Amino acid sequence: MRLYNTLSKRKEEFVPVEEGKVKMYVCGPTVYNFIHIGNARPMIVFDTVRRYFEYKGYDVNYVSNFTDVDDKIINKAIEEKVSADEISKRYIAECKKDMEGMNVKPATTHPLATEEICGMVDMIGDLIQKGYAYEKNGTVYFRTRQFKDYGKLSHKNLDDLRSGERSLLVTGEDEKEDPLDFVLWKPKKEGEPSWDSPWSAGRPGWHIECSVMSRKYLGEQIDIHAGGEDLVFPHHENEIAQSEAANGKEFAKYWMHNAFLNIDNHKMSKSLGNFRTVREISEQYDLQVLRFFMLSAHYRSPLNFSAELMEASKSGLERIVNAADNLKFLMREAEGDMRPEEEEAFAKTAGFVKEFEDAMDEDFNTADAVAAVFDFVKFCNIHAGEGNSKEYLQKLFDLLVKLTDVLGLIVDKEEEILAEDIEKMIEERQAARKAKDFARADAIRDELQAKGIILEDTREGVKWKRA
Ligand code: AMP
Ligand code: ZN
């Protein structure tokens, strides 16, 4: 497997830090509003990366934070006259709903910055002790020039940064030893949430959050650190400086960055008024369509969101789902094991699997992987029909589900029967038994069984479980 590493600016063979395991950290959103479709891009892209590693048999520890302390959250709280905590909790819950709609798996851990302040205070103290940080009037700064490798990710050198330092100077930070130094801890302003620390009652800078959460949940050295390309500088550059200065070893082996999502060929921004939230899209489309749209391009290519492309994605996804439905329909009537000519036909599907894996192995080329799925769909449409055995059809179906599942696309739309409906049917069955209508009682049991629900008559009553 090869992936593009922003650090070396080339594709590299993936070699895990620990055999069979992948430790990855993806910078998550700042939660002060519904997530927009730009935020959805890294979520979908890196969820797909995770799924492919899992498909390859790796055990993936996937950590993605929520930044729940930030100026934007505080401003929104003031605007609504509620606490910052209420704002962040509300939008974390909304974000999780959107993630579910896009079939983005929950992370192994979703740490919250506000619950990790202790660890941040520890790391900042450690950096001061090691000479990488200093305090001035309650604010702690990172001594950027002290870290010799500063600039290695963004490929900037310190002298270039010096010439642009005017723009890096933030008002009120003129007490810094050097304009390149950045904030690790800042004292609170009136009415802001704050925590105690040896330097002041205040809150952490944004960059230190990720260094601390990554180390706590994944260890000092991780395989992949990821996010949108706007995070390369300064966020990720600063994370490297903090983590490597504190831990004395390389932080992440591979740095992956997705390109930006534009809208109607313009940068998406609030000031241009062309902002679209995932929630708005969900009113018009199944979010599976949004996911399919995101994967139709390579993650390192800019992607343009438009109504036409969404319509094209909708029909593309329908083609795949229709093929799955057709196989399911055929399976209902079919029976028996694979026949020799079917074995021969099925052997040909290895070609599609190879096409799919080759695409994903080459820096997660999801556009080509989708093309491989389409080729397989075409094959199914031609080579599956009424005369085929159940085993053959099932195998085609399972393979289609397996490949689309790597992309996080749900093609097996059989709606899961709800617990309350199951309970209702069980009650109806009990009533039928009481009335000695055993035919009806058996019919209900069979109906549930067909939906994958198994009933067990026990002394305490009827119990059920999903097969
Ligand atoms: P933020 O909440 O701004 O920190 O962003 C959360 C994640 O979304 C980061 O990985 C950003 O790089 C990413 N992101 C923000 N806007 C876009 C966009 N228009 N296209 C792609 N990724 C984006
Ligand atoms: Zn981060």
Side-chain angles (χ1 to χ4, degrees):
M1 258 172 110
R2 275 151 45 92
L3 49 87
Y4 183 87
N5 191 352
T6 308
L7 204 55
S8 62
K9 283 173 112 176
R10 54 183 183 80
K11 287 186 197 164
E12 290 175 31
E13 189 64 32
F14 178 75
V15 183
V17 174
E18 211 178 313
E19 211 185 314
K21 295 195 172 158
V22 178
K23 290 176 246 186
M24 66 189 284
Y25 187 96
V26 181
C27 292
T30 307
V31 277
Y32 65 103
N33 207 336
F34 287 99
I35 57 163
H36 59 67
I37 52 177
N39 300 138
R41 192 170 189 195
M43 285 179 184
I44 291 170
V45 161
F46 298 115
D47 176 64
T48 306
V49 166
R50 169 198 191 161
R51 286 167 181 268
Y52 189 58
F53 276 120
E54 286 171 347
Y55 168 91
K56 287 276 203 168
Y58 286 98
D59 178 9
V60 183
N61 192 345
Y62 188 100
V63 176
S64 189
N65 67 297
F66 286 111
T67 296
D68 61 344
V69 54
D70 180 88
D71 286 341
K72 294 191 198 100
I73 301 173
I74 295 168
N75 291 339
K76 179 94 169 183
I78 293 169
E79 206 180 293
E80 288 196 21
K81 298 192 174 59
V82 296
S83 68
D85 192 52
E86 186 172 332
I87 296 290
S88 57
K89 288 233 163 61
R90 183 198 305 160
Y91 290 112
I92 287 170
E94 297 298 355
C95 177
K96 286 185 173 170
K97 274 188 218 158
D98 288 336
M99 283 168 67
E100 194 180 333
M102 297 186 293
N103 201 24
V104 169
K105 286 193 200 188
T108 316
T109 314
H110 277 293
L112 307 183
T114 54
E115 291 177 3
E116 309 290 345
I117 307 286
C118 251
M120 297 176 206
V121 169
D122 281 352
M123 193 185 272
I124 296 169
D126 187 29
L127 287 170
I128 293 176
Q129 213 201 345
K130 290 185 166 131
Y132 284 106
Y134 58 94
E135 186 248 357
K136 281 268 171 76
N137 300 322
T139 301
V140 183
Y141 297 99
F142 187 88
R143 191 172 275 131
T144 302
R145 278 177 195 281
Q146 187 75 15
F147 182 68
K148 296 291 167 256
D149 284 338
Y150 195 82
K152 70 174 171 181
L153 180 72
S154 51
H155 307 282
K156 292 179 190 296
N157 69 49
L158 291 185
D159 296 327
D160 289 349
L161 289 172
R162 264 215 88 93
S163 63
E165 76 193 23
R166 241 173 259 278
S167 59
L168 289 168
L169 255 178
V170 180
T171 347
E173 290 186 354
D174 42 4
E175 61 195 9
K176 290 196 279 192
E177 286 176 3
D178 187 301
L180 295 176
D181 296 350
F182 58 90
V183 171
L184 298 176
W185 185 267
K186 58 184 157 197
K188 69 164 183 183
K189 292 197 203 106
E190 196 47 43
E192 285 184 356
S194 69
W195 291 263
D196 283 339
S197 82
W199 317 289
S200 59
R203 58 186 164 105
W206 171 36
H207 316 301
I208 195 77
E209 297 174 8
C210 291
S211 283
V212 168
M213 293 186 273
S214 177
R215 181 171 77 176
K216 175 161 173 192
Y217 295 99
L218 296 169
E220 291 183 344
Q221 195 182 25
I222 69 171
D223 294 290
I224 297 173
H225 196 115
E229 65 184 3
D230 58 322
L231 299 188
V232 174
F233 187 86
H235 186 52
H236 287 165
E237 195 69 64
N238 291 355
E239 279 191 46
I240 291 179
Q242 298 163 154
S243 295
E244 299 194 356
N247 303 330
K249 58 172 75 144
E250 187 183 37
F251 178 29
K253 279 181 84 174
Y254 307 94
W255 288 82
M256 294 180 74
H257 295 99
N258 63 273
F260 255 45
L261 178 77
N262 298 320
I263 190 158
D264 295 323
N265 292 314
H266 290 94
K267 195 177 150 65
M268 196 171 62
S269 83
K270 276 198 173 149
S271 54
L272 290 171
N274 57 2
F275 224 72
R276 302 287 292 273
T277 63
V278 170
R279 199 57 62 87
E280 280 165 348
I281 302 302
S282 75
E283 284 158 15
Q284 211 183 337
Y285 293 99
D286 184 332
L287 289 178
Q288 284 279 297
V289 176
L290 183 66
R291 181 163 186 130
F292 187 78
F293 158 76
M294 297 279 185
L295 298 177
S296 63
H298 191 275
Y299 75 93
R300 284 190 294 113
S301 306
L303 177 59
N304 186 45
F305 181 90
S306 70
E308 295 80 58
L309 285 175
M310 281 297 280
E311 282 303 312
S313 299
K314 187 172 173 219
S315 48
L317 183 61
E318 265 166 15
R319 251 165 74 200
I320 303 174
V321 173
N322 286 345
D325 280 348
N326 187 41
L327 288 169
K328 264 196 293 189
F329 172 77
L330 293 169
M331 270 191 289
R332 256 178 245 143
E333 301 294 319
E335 29 187 57
D337 298 338
M338 284 233 268
R339 297 187 292 271
E341 71 275 14
E342 288 178 328
E343 300 264 7
E344 217 170 282
F346 190 75
K348 293 203 182 99
T349 64
F352 305 117
V353 175
K354 183 169 184 318
E355 192 186 332
F356 181 89
E357 290 181 358
D358 284 350
M360 293 298 279
D361 281 342
E362 192 59 27
D363 195 26
F364 304 96
N365 191 336
T366 53
D368 286 358
V370 166
V373 171
F374 277 138
D375 289 344
F376 178 47
V377 160
K378 208 186 289 167
F379 176 91
C380 292
N381 291 343
I382 296 169
H383 297 281
E386 276 172 15
N388 285 117
S389 70
K390 186 159 190 151
E391 188 189 9
Y392 171 75
L393 296 167
Q394 182 76 53
K395 281 194 141 176
L396 290 179
F397 181 76
D398 290 347
L399 183 57
L400 187 56
V401 170
K402 190 174 172 191
L403 297 183
T404 47
D405 187 52
V406 173
L407 301 174
L409 301 171
I410 303 167
V411 296
D412 189 6
K413 280 270 176 185
E414 198 99 297
E415 270 180 32
E416 209 174 62
I417 179 164
L418 297 171
E420 58 184 314
D421 293 332
I422 298 171
E423 308 281 353
K424 258 189 224 145
M425 286 173 77
I426 292 175
E427 269 171 40
E428 203 187 323
R429 176 169 168 263
Q430 294 300 80
R433 279 167 132 191
K434 234 181 187 169
K436 301 216 170 345
D437 184 355
F438 296 111
R440 175 75 193 131
D442 287 348
I444 293 172
R445 171 187 280 268
D446 292 347
E447 198 184 326
L448 280 168
Q449 197 164 13
K451 291 185 166 135
I453 306 299
I454 296 164
L455 299 187
E456 216 183 317
D457 292 305
T458 71
R459 250 194 266 159
E460 297 88 54
V462 183
K463 290 194 175 149
W464 63 270
K465 61 176 183 203
R466 296 186 198 271

